[in-house]
Amino acid sequence: MDCRLVSFGQIEIDGERFEHDVVIEEGRVRRRKKGPSKRHRAEYGHTPLTPDEAIPWSAPLLIVGTGANGQLPITKDFYREASDRRVEVVARPTTEACDLLAAADPKSVAAILHVTC
């Protein structure tokens, strides 16, 4: 899968540009719906990634792009949930996450890519 952070707030996946966070599961791209995590915003200073969202737990590897500057907070309970489901989480700044995603087998990886901060 060809993926790159074009600029702060914009990502391109297989030639299509998105101006919002995305979730990739089984080769399909959808918008990240972070509403369920917003209740944690005051605690983290930014809406974190929590297991309250529709997380793509279907693959054994979940790549999380933590933003242009790597500042997306990820909650401890997110990591606990991943461990319970036997899903390995690799969190890197989004540019690095795109490189990992490009090198991975789309059938064995899912991703959540944050496009700002």
Side-chain angles (χ1 to χ4, degrees), residues 1-63:
M1 178 167 275
D2 184 37
C3 175
R4 69 186 182 100
L5 187 63
V6 176
S7 63
F8 187 88
Q10 191 174 79
I11 196 165
E12 186 174 282
I13 301 169
D14 290 339
E16 186 174 353
R17 289 197 180 188
F18 300 89
E19 295 183 352
H20 51 74
D21 291 4
V22 297
V23 174
I24 301 170
E25 185 171 28
E26 296 176 353
R28 290 185 295 261
V29 181
R30 64 178 162 85
R31 181 182 201 116
R32 174 184 168 216
K33 296 183 180 173
K34 53 188 173 181
S37 296
K38 285 191 177 187
R39 64 188 175 99
H40 301 284
R41 179 185 276 167
E43 181 182 350
Y44 289 88
H46 183 76
T47 301
L49 181 60
T50 73
D52 300 335
E53 298 178 29
I55 304 300
W57 297 120
S58 61
L61 174 62
L62 177 59
I63 296 171

Side-chain angles (χ1 to χ4, degrees), residues 91-111:
R92 300 284 186 277
T94 300
T95 299
E96 291 177 38
C98 284
D99 292 341
L100 293 172
L101 188 58
D105 175 5
K107 294 177 184 171
S108 64
V109 67

Side-chain angles (χ1 to χ4, degrees), residues 73-95:
I74 303 172
T75 63
K76 288 179 184 175
D77 57 337
F78 179 89
Y79 284 110
R80 266 193 301 274
E81 181 76 18
S83 177
D84 291 348
R85 292 174 178 265
R86 295 189 169 92
V87 172
E88 179 185 1
V89 176
V90 175
R92 300 284 186 277
T94 300
T95 299

